[in-house]
């Protein structure tokens, strides 16, 4: 066990990574539950959401689309790449 300290550090880092991923998944599930409740969608699946979108008018659809873009939009890393291409 020459590298036991290194293995311990990597193990701790893996635990932190898993915790961060679990937190992000929980936040996204909470957001989706809020969308289903707000729009009165009883079927908690992508099919139920698609059915509701078909029933919406353009204004409601754009509002929902904006909420999804805000929540699931590209992160800062992509913005930096776009800026570097412009320079």
């Amino acid at each position: 066990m020459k590298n036991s300290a290194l293995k311990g550090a990597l193990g701790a880092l893996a635990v932190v990574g898993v915790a961060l991923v679990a937190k992000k998944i929980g936040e996204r599930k909470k957001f989706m539950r809020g969308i289903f409740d707000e729009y009165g969608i009883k079927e908690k699946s992508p099919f139920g959401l698609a059915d509701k979108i078909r029933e919406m008018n353009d204004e409601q659809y754009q509002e929902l689309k904006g909420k999804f873009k805000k929540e699931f939009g590209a992160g800062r890393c992509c913005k930096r790449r776009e800026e570097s291409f412009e320079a």
Side-chain angles (χ1 to χ4, degrees):
M1 291 267 213
K2 290 183 177 180
N3 297 324
S4 62
L6 179 62
K7 288 179 184 178
L10 288 176
L13 200 61
V15 169
V16 170
V18 168
L20 289 174
V21 168
K23 180 182 175 187
K24 189 68 172 179
I25 289 171
E27 290 172 356
R28 289 187 175 201
K29 278 187 173 183
K30 184 178 177 182
F31 171 77
M32 289 304 296
R33 270 188 250 124
I35 291 292
F36 287 132
D37 292 341
E38 182 179 344
Y39 289 97
I41 302 169
K42 291 183 175 59
E43 185 182 345
K44 308 283 190 222
S45 71
F47 300 110
L49 181 61
D51 289 341
K52 184 64 176 182
I53 288 173
R54 284 187 205 106
E55 296 171 1
M56 291 179 173
N57 61 26
D58 287 336
E59 183 180 315
Q60 291 172 329
Y61 174 70
Q62 292 303 325
E63 178 185 340
L64 180 65
K65 187 176 167 184
K67 288 179 184 178
F68 276 105
K69 275 190 175 182
K70 182 180 175 188
E71 181 68 22
F72 300 115
R76 289 183 220 132
C77 65
C78 298
K79 290 180 184 176
R80 278 190 244 140
R81 275 190 252 144
E82 289 173 3
E83 289 173 1
S84 66
F85 289 132
E86 292 174 3

